[in-house]
Every structure is written in C-alpha cells, then in structure tokens.
Amino acid sequence: MQTQVLLFGIVADLVGESSINLELKMDGTVSDFKKKLTETYPQLQNYNTYVIALNESYALDDTIVKDNDVIAIIPPVSGG
Amino acid sequence: MQTQVLLFGIVADLVGESSINLELKMDGTVSDFKKKLTETYPQLQNYNTYVIALNESYALDDTIVKDNDVIAIIPPVSGG
Amino acid sequence: MSNISIKLTTDKLSLDECYNFVDDPTCGGIDIFVGTVRNHTKGKKVKKLDFSAYGPMAIKEMELIAEKALEKFDVLKIAIHHAEGMLQIGDIPVIIAVSAAHRVAAFEACQFAIDTLKETVPIWKKEHFSDGEVWVNAHP
Amino acid sequence: MSNISIKLTTDKLSLDECYNFVDDPTCGGIDIFVGTVRNHTKGKKVKKLDFSAYGPMAIKEMELIAEKALEKFDVLKIAIHHAEGMLQIGDIPVIIAVSAAHRVAAFEACQFAIDTLKETVPIWKKEHFSDGEVWVNAHP
C-alpha cells in the first residue's frame, strides 16, 4: 500500500522534504515502517530519536499501520 | 511616657477607635504594653491573637518599647 | 531596587503592568499569580470584600518578601501589587509576577511570595454578606 | 468544552484573553505561566526563534493536557495558547492560565501543563544565531 508520511523539524531537514510517499506492505507494524524508512533514506540511519504518530496520536512500535493511516515522524519536541 | 497606638481590623472594631493614646512606663517591654492595653480596654481580654509591631516591624514580647516608637496592634492578617 | 516593584493602591491592579515590569530579554519564563474575589466562602455567598491595610508596614513587608524571593530563588525580577478598599466579585486583590531564566524558579518564587504575603503582610479583609460582615481569619 | 481554551496561532498571544477565559466568579486564584524568548542559550546569543508545529496533532495533544489537568487537579478552567512562526526576543511562545477555588491547585495544574506540553506536544523550535541555526533538543 502507498502511504503519505509527514516529516517535521530535523527529520524534514535531513530528508529535504516535509512530506514523502512510501510503499509499505499490508498489515506491517510501526517497526516495519521504520525499517523501510531507513532503507529508503539512509541519512536517517544515524538519527533514530524520533517517534511515530498515526492519525495524530503517538503509536507504539508494534502498532499495525493500516491503509490510509496518516503517518508522521516526530523528532524530539521543543515547544513552550 | 505617652505613646500613640494604631489599631486595625477586628481590634479597631472591638476598641471602637483606629488610634489610641496610652501612658506607658519608660523602658517597659512589649509584654508590659500588652498588659496595660488589656487593663485599659477589657474588651480585649478575650482577644489575644494579635501581635505587635514597633516602627512598622514585627516585635517580640521582650522588645523594649522606646519613647516615640510607633506601636501597632496587628490582628491575624488576611491579605491576598 | 530596579528589579522589585511594590504597590499598594486603591486603583485597579494591572496584569500588563506587572508583566511588563518583570519581562526581561534574559528571562525564559514568567509566572503570575492573580488573586480574585470569590463569590462564596464556606458555603456562604459573598457580596464584596473590603481590604484595609497598615500602609507603610504593608509596603515594607512586601519589599522584604520580594528581597527574600530574589535571594532564595534564581529569579530576575518580581512585582507584588496589592489593592486596598472595596472590591467586587471578580476584582483583583493581588498580583504577583516573577521572571526567571528557567521556569521552575519562577513557579517556586511566586508560590513563596503569595504564601508569605498571606502570613506577614498587614492587610485585612472584611467579607460582606447579605446578612452582615466579618473580618476574615480574625479568630483563627 | 467550555472550560478549556486551546489555541495554536501565528497571531500575537494575549495575556488578557487567557486571563479573561479562565476568570470565574467561583475562583479565588489564577496562575499564569508565560514562556518568553530568551536572548541567550548555553552562552550563545539568540537572535530569533522559529516555531513549527504539526498543527492538528499539536492541538489534540494540548487538549489532552487540558483534560488531564482538569481531571487530576481541583481546578476550574484552563487555557493553553501556543504561537507558531518566527518570534523575536521578548515575544511569547506560550501562555498557560489555570483558575481554581484555591491557589495550590492552580499552581500545580499550571506546572503540570507546561511540563507535559514540553514533552508531548509536536512543536519544534529552531534557534537562529548570528552564525547559523539549530533545532532545539534534536539531539537529546
């Protein structure tokens, strides 16, 4: 399945985009997604302090990524 | 010596004045002053939760009251 | 001192004035406590509050609190403004604002200042109910 | 919910707006935390800060914090307003205001809200120095 991934902060800078499309297998987990992401963007290999949000909520590594889920990569936040 | 005493809050209400004059002996303490006050205003006999300030600072019971000191009777405060 | 603002006034207190006083290019956080007149106390409806003060001593004691706050906590500036006279529901008896490079110190100093003010500053409030009035705390 | 005000905006944040939202006839104390842009960080001079956010999620997370604060503490109303975009020294990135019948709960809830916001809300700031710029916290 084709997914849209939103990038922010330093991750957007490292990738050079604020949004990317990634082909994922059906019923993969957040962990699988992270692996695919690093394969596709090797510049993220040494940057793994981000977490993943699905549909605007924080997701765990074993959460299943479903078709049409909005995926976002959240580097360490610094609001306030 | 003749002293001026400032009264506030409930103490002013009990005495019916916001300022009184009291004749004190020289070199008496704050304790002596309190005794004299209660003799002169027996309505304060059952009200002893106040503290005394001399010249706008809190005073202890054994502080000496000097001539020309500004004495104030401070019932429990409730600002804020 | 230029890093302390103390006020005892019959005018309306101003949040912006306190904020502007403590704001500083080196500060990263400001904590502001605002006391407000509550419409009830111990289940009774309050109509208004009358604040009276031993003015010169109240100002001295507020200055002492401000100086102690600057000493005890890593904070930059502090404003302590207190109202006198008759206040209605929603009016503001007290504003305390504290600026600091880091927020924890601002919170701590602000709490210290309001806690101490309520113990030491010679200001008294009389609550007015529909059936009478009473000095708050007079009989602890 | 009428006792929660959440805002993420490129407009200037307003202290009065936050105060007026949380003010209530039953409240006795309001605590307000104001974040400000500091002119230095770790000894380096900051020129300005650029805040970017994952907007919809930032708003959801701020709502979660507000709901949790109302649950955990005995408080009445809470406002959490955060700025986006380029801020200059002295500008206000965040205001959190909390009202309560008694002041301790207001202080506690306000600290809880800013502490949690800094951990969970997807907003990022980039510090601009005279010799470059850096994402804050990007490498913890």
Side-chain angles (χ1 to χ4, degrees), chain A residues 44-60:
Chain A
L44 292 179
Q45 234 149 25
N46 296 314
Y47 194 80
N48 56 6
T49 50
Y50 55 80
V51 293
I52 303 301
L54 295 179
N55 306 318
E56 301 158 9
S57 291
Y58 288 108
L60 300 173

Side-chain angles (χ1 to χ4, degrees), chain B residues 11-75:
Chain B
V11 172
D13 281 4
L14 288 169
V15 171
E17 303 281 350
S18 62
S19 166
I20 56 175
N21 290 297
L22 219 55
E23 179 65 30
L24 298 183
K25 65 176 189 236
M26 289 296 277
D27 295 326
T29 63
V30 165
S31 270
D32 297 333
F33 162 77
K34 285 179 175 175
K35 210 175 297 168
K36 177 79 183 188
L37 182 74
T38 315
E39 283 166 24
T40 317
Y41 298 95
Q43 63 266 51
L44 294 178
Q45 234 148 26
N46 296 315
Y47 193 80
N48 56 5
T49 50
Y50 55 81
V51 292
I52 302 301
L54 294 179
N55 307 316
E56 300 158 9
S57 292
Y58 287 108
L60 300 173
D61 271 355
D62 57 5
T63 307
I64 303 292
V65 180
K66 294 187 299 291
D67 207 6
N68 293 319
D69 274 359
V70 179
I71 308 179
I73 302 180
I74 313 283

Side-chain angles (χ1 to χ4, degrees), chain A residues 6-23:
Chain A
L6 306 175
L7 311 182
F8 298 96
I10 192 167
V11 173
D13 282 4
L14 289 170
V15 172
E17 304 280 353
S18 62
S19 166
I20 55 176
N21 290 296
L22 220 55
E23 180 63 31

